[in-house]
Amino acid sequence: MRLPKTAHTSRPWRIHEIAPDFQVEDVWALPTPGGPDDLPRLIRQFSPGGEDAAPGPSGPTPVPGLLPRALFATRWKLGAWFGWDRPDAGVGTRVDSLRDRLPADLRDAPRGPDLRAVPFTFVFQTHDEWAAEMANRTVHTVMHIGWVPDGAGGHRGQMAVLVKPNGAFGAAYMAAIKPFRYLGVYPALLKSIAHRWQAA
């Protein structure tokens, strides 16, 4: 279920102090009912060794289904043609890593997992939130996973996507792909997360 942006901005997440110059693009409630300590289990579904991965330029992307796979395949082809995903456009080259902004307690904490997705790399993890980043010629993106009370005595995951578009071109790109994210990618991703969570 899609949530208002305030579902992310109103919570006392550490990501707010790390990425204040990023805008919240999307917030979703994840179909992952559980207990207060289940965040690591959820993160493992997104990390190396996770199931249902579609091929991407730097490894698979954990989005199943024919339509999302076709959309990602088209995106990678366009990226190859126009050079959007070249190594000099990523984290540590075009943009500095958000890990460079971490306070000592987060920087020195145990390292969480990178993703198999288009290369998302670990930023930080606490008891109730985890963040990873990626960048290309269009945008610098953060995937943020939080673990929140569900209002019924349990907990569930919450996913937010934060973005910092690369100028006018990046903003136009984000606007252009918005319908594809909402109609193809997010529904399939949430369905897959629910299936794997219940199976586990």
Side-chain angles (χ1 to χ4, degrees):
M1 178 177 66
R2 190 179 176 201
L3 299 174
K5 295 179 181 180
T6 53
H8 175 80
T9 58
S10 65
R11 300 196 65 84
W13 300 125
R14 298 295 301 274
I15 192 65
H16 300 322
E17 67 189 86
I18 308 304
D21 49 337
F22 284 62
Q23 62 194 49
V24 179
E25 183 73 11
D26 298 305
V27 184
W28 295 86
L30 299 182
T32 55
D37 301 317
D38 282 337
L39 176 65
R41 176 185 164 202
L42 176 60
I43 296 308
R44 285 196 298 271
Q45 289 196 176
F46 289 87
S47 61
E51 309 88 343
D52 295 357
S58 301
T61 301
V63 179
L66 293 177
L67 178 58
R69 288 174 188 268
L71 292 173
F72 273 102
T74 301
R75 166 60 182 84
W76 307 143
K77 182 64 69 175
L78 291 172
W81 285 346
F82 296 108
W84 294 342
D85 305 311
R86 287 168 29 185
D88 64 356
V91 173
T93 51
R94 186 181 71 79
V95 298
D96 294 331
S97 173
L98 291 178
R99 284 193 59 80
D100 297 340
R101 305 181 180 185
L102 295 182
D105 66 315
L106 293 180
R107 186 176 60 249
D108 298 336
R111 182 177 171 83
D114 292 334
L115 292 188
R116 297 185 73 182
V118 255
F120 272 97
T121 55
F122 169 79
V123 177
F124 72 89
Q125 183 172 341
T126 70
H127 70 287
D128 64 353
E129 64 179 306
W130 168 91
E133 65 181 334
M134 65 85 64
N136 54 37
R137 293 224 175 268
T138 64
V139 69
H140 187 182
T141 301
V142 175
M143 177 186 285
H144 180 271
I145 304 293
W147 196 246
V148 300
D150 62 7
H155 291 72
R156 61 161 174 80
Q158 179 172 296
M159 178 176 70
V161 177
L162 287 66
V163 299
K164 189 175 183 181
N166 186 14
F169 170 67
Y173 171 85
M174 292 301 299
I177 68 171
K178 195 168 193 174
F180 301 102
R181 296 200 318 271
Y182 290 158
L183 296 176
V185 174
Y186 283 129
L189 177 60
L190 295 177
K191 182 177 179 180
S192 173
I193 290 171
H195 173 76
R196 284 180 284 165
W197 188 261
Q198 291 167 7

